[in-house]
Amino acid sequence: MAKVHSSPVHGAGVQLTREARLSPPAFESNRQADYFRAAFSLHHFFSEEELEWLRDFSAADVSDEEAMALVFVRRNGSISNEQCRDLTGLDVIGASKLLGRLRDLGFLIQHPHGAMTFYTPTGQLGMTPVCTTRLREVEVSLDAGEALSVDSEAIPPDIAESIRMLGKRSSPQEVRRVIVQICSVRPFSAGEIARLVGRSKKWVSASYLKPMIRDGQLEYVIPGEPNHPEQKYTVGRSEQEI
């Protein structure tokens, strides 16, 4: 433990854990039975700097699991229900309640997108979410040769990474998967989708959007009017049920 500089083996680390109102590690020994046991939780391996940071929120009486979620957001810029479950061992409802409490305390901002809902930090955490990615303007040649502006909007880092990794030689299945991810954030127009995946609007509409509508992967926001000027695409029921 000392070799990896873990906080629990240092007096300062244990003291900071207590000052942050987190449960300390549990120690048990028995000389007669000749054994010593120590039980640590994930938060016992926070750095001293992270424990100092958590101490600022001790008045909110955050639980060990809530502290784990806050540090995760500090490190990664966002957190989802699934990530919270993996981190804390809670079930779906428990993770939702935990994230909801942190939201109600003013620590997190909820970005509701159905199963893709995620949370980002507020100014109360005293940090800038360096890993929160936003949709940026990307130079893509559209049919009319005009640049299309896509409003900046926070999206989950994993989806942003999928967009960045999408290349000209990506398979149709991979492009479809990324389009579904994009439309899970909010409804997007054909032009916006084309810009994000780096292809022309005409090609995306013919090769992807229409077939995906047919296959139930996407749905029209304005049903029955595929050519409506305000038409946008959202995730279809078949994808929502997966």
Side-chain angles (χ1 to χ4, degrees), residues 21-124:
R21 295 192 179 183
L22 303 176
S23 62
F27 301 101
E28 180 184 0
S29 64
N30 188 314
R31 289 190 176 183
Q32 292 180 340
D34 191 26
Y35 73 81
F36 173 81
R37 295 174 183 170
F40 300 106
S41 296
L42 182 61
H43 66 271
H44 296 135
F45 298 93
F46 292 162
S47 68
E48 291 187 9
E49 191 272 335
E50 288 170 334
L51 290 172
E52 287 275 10
W53 177 73
L54 282 171
R55 188 168 59 177
D56 294 338
F57 313 116
S58 59
D61 197 24
V62 298
S63 67
D64 293 349
E65 291 79 10
E66 289 167 344
M68 293 179 196
L70 288 175
V71 170
F72 184 92
V73 170
R74 188 171 188 257
R75 293 176 179 176
N76 298 280
S78 67
I79 188 170
S80 65
N81 186 286
E82 181 180 6
Q83 290 169 327
C84 185
R85 299 197 308 269
D86 291 341
L87 187 68
T88 63
L90 295 171
D91 59 17
V92 174
I93 296 176
S96 294
K97 289 181 178 179
L98 183 153
L99 295 171
R101 181 172 186 271
L102 294 178
R103 176 202 61 206
D104 294 342
L105 286 170
F107 295 151
L108 299 180
I109 300 171
Q110 183 177 5
H111 302 269
H113 301 297
M116 300 297 293
T117 293
F118 66 104
Y119 300 77
T120 55
T122 67
Q124 286 197 44

Side-chain angles (χ1 to χ4, degrees), residues 94-239:
S96 294
K97 289 181 178 179
L98 183 153
L99 295 171
R101 181 172 186 271
L102 294 178
R103 176 202 61 206
D104 294 342
L105 286 170
F107 295 151
L108 299 180
I109 300 171
Q110 183 177 5
H111 302 269
H113 301 297
M116 300 297 293
T117 293
F118 66 104
Y119 300 77
T120 55
T122 67
Q124 286 197 44
L125 295 189
M127 55 169 288
T128 300
V130 296
C131 292
T132 297
T133 308
R134 294 183 176 273
L135 296 180
R136 301 186 302 272
E137 292 190 359
V138 181
E139 291 301 324
V140 176
S141 296
L142 301 182
D143 295 336
E146 297 179 354
L148 175 67
S149 297
V150 179
D151 293 336
S152 293
E153 179 174 347
I155 61 172
D158 57 336
I159 297 179
E161 182 64 18
S162 294
I163 294 172
R164 288 195 296 269
M165 295 298 293
L166 199 62
K168 293 295 184 181
R169 296 184 179 180
S170 298
S171 68
Q173 292 78 12
E174 181 65 14
V175 177
R176 280 194 178 207
R177 185 185 69 80
V178 173
I179 289 175
V180 168
Q181 287 183 308
I182 291 170
C183 292
S184 71
V185 175
R186 65 165 173 84
F188 281 89
S189 68
E192 290 173 325
I193 294 169
R195 180 179 188 127
L196 290 171
V197 300
R199 283 133 173 99
S200 73
K201 177 180 175 182
K202 183 177 181 180
W203 175 261
V204 167
S205 296
S207 300
Y208 294 104
L209 300 183
K210 289 182 180 179
M212 292 174 74
I213 288 285
R214 181 195 63 214
D215 296 341
Q217 289 182 290
L218 297 179
E219 292 181 355
Y220 291 122
V221 171
I222 307 174
E225 297 185 54
N227 297 320
H228 193 285
E230 300 299 322
Q231 187 63 267
K232 293 187 178 182
Y233 300 80
T234 187
V235 176
R237 292 187 179 86
S238 65
E239 290 295 325

